[in-house]
Amino acid sequence: MSVSTAASVQTICAQLPVLGRDVTVPLVTGGEVTYAALDYAASAPALQRVWDDVAAYAPYYGSVHRGAGYLSQLSTDLFENARKTVTEFLDCRADDQLVFTRSTTDSLNLLAAALPADCQVFVFETEHHASLLPWKDARVSYLDAPRTPGQAVETLEKALAARDPQGPALVCVTGASNVTGELWPVRELAAAAHAHGARIVLDAAQLAPHHPVSVRDLDVDWIAFSGHKLYAPFGSGVLAGRADWLQAADPYLAGGGASRKVTRREDGGVDVEWHDSAARHEAGSPNVIGAYSIASACKALTEAGFDTLVAREQYLIEKVKAGLAEVPEVRVLSLFGDDAPRVGVISFVVEGWNSSHFAAALSAEYGIGVRDGLFCAHPLVRTLLGSDPQSQGECGAPEAAPGEKSLNAIRVSFGAGTPDEHVERFVRAVKELVRDGAKWTYRTEDGRCVPAV
């Protein structure tokens, strides 16, 4: 990378600063250090822009949709304008519907509850549990983990070709893996689904914060994502896409806001006329701050420019990959190969190390926050590791001897606002821990590895 290019991609840190960038944490070895937040794939830090926007609105907070007062009308406008902003961010079709939910998990459970009778669902075993588990009332086909993007498309086509062509069908697929960070061939999978009369929902929880996502261009029927992955940590999510299945389904939650008209019957019961707009599935007082924070993040990412975002992130990805490649004991996990395009999510194992012990040492001795375990994608991680699901490692002792299989993994993830120093410290820490071992002793407490007092 040239000096000018490197300088230009650094600009994104200044354009999109995040909260917590100056927070210091204590080290067990003494002193303090600026915290290196490298667990974006779980929850990204809030953008400073998002926090400032929410703080500016907070004094004007009021009830939404039914209040006559000025603050209620202002909050209603803010909520509905947030819906418009996110719709534009996703490049939705004119007749698509956008429902505000609590998270990606909530969005996919909402869609699962809206499936037509006798719907068949096709989902790869590689999915996050949010995409893997909601379909309990449908006929589900779990597809084996593909080893190339082309094999993913081929596997789906074969499964769809063998289905009952008369009934409704839905394909659920991730845009970027929360374990490996690898990009999936969403456009090709959507084409395969539609060619066989099926619809497709995209889990964009890990994709939307890192790449532009266009419902029209990818030709997906629905898209789901969470605000807390998109630098907007206020308990809100999105399900956007075709309205027909949502309008035909019973409300996800029954209550005020979802109902247009409620009347008593002579037999003592009630008759309900439900809304057919997004309000049908938004019963109760909506999370206006959550919706507004997502809209604020969408504006910030759009204004910063995804070209710059992607270039900056790719620079960090190559920095981490190059550093880990210098440690023979480290194995980076991948479905599609080491050179497959990915977002800023990298999982790995260290030969001879318990992953929980390694992650605890990164935190306690270097002030680095990463994730360890199976990342709410147990079938995928076990497929990548070839590990026994019943096995467990003990903190402070090697999880697997040299040549043996690891039982879980370590994940480092980053994005907008991550400075060079954080990934450089991470790479240096990995090398030092592998070479010299941990400086402290650790024990297991409530299932977690923690420094011994």
Side-chain angles (χ1 to χ4, degrees), residues 394-415:
E394 287 299 322
C395 172
E399 176 189 56
E404 293 183 354
K405 295 174 180 177
S406 298
L407 307 177
N408 51 28
I410 306 153
R411 184 181 68 192
V412 57
S413 52
F414 41 84

Side-chain angles (χ1 to χ4, degrees), residues 42-59:
S43 284
L47 291 177
Q48 185 68 55
R49 156 81 172 269
V50 171
W51 192 261
D52 291 344
D53 283 350
V54 169
Y57 160 65

